[in-house]
């Protein structure tokens, strides 16, 4: 076995300003007794994050925390083989204000997002995710929405959503083999 478990007693599990040109693998982020995100970044540019586990507080309501959150820009990054359990959101990409933020040219592959209460994948309306793809993902059981794509420009391929499904109000047909 190899890897690291990051589990603080209180506060944010990992709150960083910017990650640029880096890689990370074999890490488990485990929730603390607060509603802070497990991994929150302002910027995540040209990063490779793989084989990560995001676990909310065991035995607690799934409304404890977000798993992976980017609040400003994310460009040219790749997240592969990610497992999320018992959080409010799995992947949460949001702009910190009303200005559009680039979430451009990213790849999210092989995501298993289970027991989330609000959305497995959430894209804020101010995100500009051109060239961003979500491929091979499983979301369930029963969050409010499996994918809440308010940006309506990301691409979703080969996914299974055992939930209320996609957000049809703003989705624009960038879905291929998503069930």
């Amino acid at each position: 076995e190899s890897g690291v478990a990051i589990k603080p007693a209180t506060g944010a599990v990992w709150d960083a300003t910017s990650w640029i040109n880096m890689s990370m693998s074999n890490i488990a982020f485990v929730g603390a007794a607060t509603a802070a995100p497990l991994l929150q970044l302002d910027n995540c540019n040209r990063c490779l994050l793989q084989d990560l586990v995001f676990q909310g507080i065991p035995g607690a309501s799934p409304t404890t925390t977000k798993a992976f959150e980017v609040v400003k820009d994310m460009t040219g990054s790749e997240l592969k083989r990610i497992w999320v359990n018992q959080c409010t959101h799995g992947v949460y990409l949001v702009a910190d204000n009303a200005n559009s933020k680039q979430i451009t040219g990213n790849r999210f592959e092989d995501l298993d997002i289970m027991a989330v209460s609000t959305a497995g994948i959430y894209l804020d309306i101010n995100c500009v995710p051109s060239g961003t793809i979500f491929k091979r993902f499983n979301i369930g059981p029963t969050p409010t929405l499996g994918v809440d794509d308010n940006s309506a420009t990301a691409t979703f391929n080969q996914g299974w959503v055992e939930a209320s499904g996609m957000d049809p109000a703003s989705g624009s047909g960038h879905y291929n083999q998503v069930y």
Side-chain angles (χ1 to χ4, degrees):
E1 288 185 353
S2 64
V4 175
I6 299 174
K7 182 182 179 185
T10 62
V13 175
W14 195 325
D15 185 354
T17 303
S18 295
W19 285 359
I20 299 172
N21 298 331
M22 56 87 68
S23 66
M24 172 186 287
S25 61
N26 292 333
I27 305 285
F29 296 90
V30 182
T34 65
L38 298 180
L39 175 55
Q40 182 181 47
L41 303 170
D42 285 348
N43 302 295
C44 182
N45 297 324
R46 297 170 307 281
C47 296
L48 172 61
L49 308 177
Q50 60 186 355
D51 302 313
L52 302 180
V53 173
F54 296 97
Q55 173 65 53
I57 301 170
S61 164
T63 60
T64 54
T65 190
K66 297 171 189 140
F68 176 77
E69 179 179 22
V70 174
V71 297
K72 291 186 180 175
D73 297 327
M74 183 176 183
T75 303
S77 291
E78 188 169 354
L79 276 77
K80 299 175 8 176
R81 296 180 304 276
I82 306 298
W83 185 74
V84 175
N85 189 39
Q86 214 163 356
C87 295
T88 58
H89 296 80
V91 174
Y92 191 80
L93 304 176
V94 62
D96 63 347
N97 56 40
N99 299 318
S100 296
K101 299 295 181 178
Q102 296 297 317
I103 307 293
T104 304
N106 301 292
R107 293 183 61 87
F108 295 83
E109 294 185 5
D110 300 315
L111 306 172
D112 283 309
I113 302 174
M114 299 291 132
V116 294
S117 63
T118 304
I121 299 169
Y122 175 83
L123 298 174
D124 185 78
I125 195 166
N126 293 317
C127 289
V128 183
S130 58
T132 291
I133 186 169
F134 292 85
K135 187 171 184 179
R136 292 186 306 273
F137 57 91
N138 295 310
I139 301 172
T142 62
T144 303
L145 284 171
V147 175
D148 192 354
D149 179 15
N150 296 298
S151 70
T153 57
T155 301
F156 297 88
N157 290 328
Q158 301 172 347
W160 175 261
V161 180
E162 181 192 355
S164 300
M166 313 301 269
D167 179 4
S170 59
S172 62
H174 293 93
Y175 307 110
N176 179 42
Q177 298 179 349
V178 176
Y179 306 98

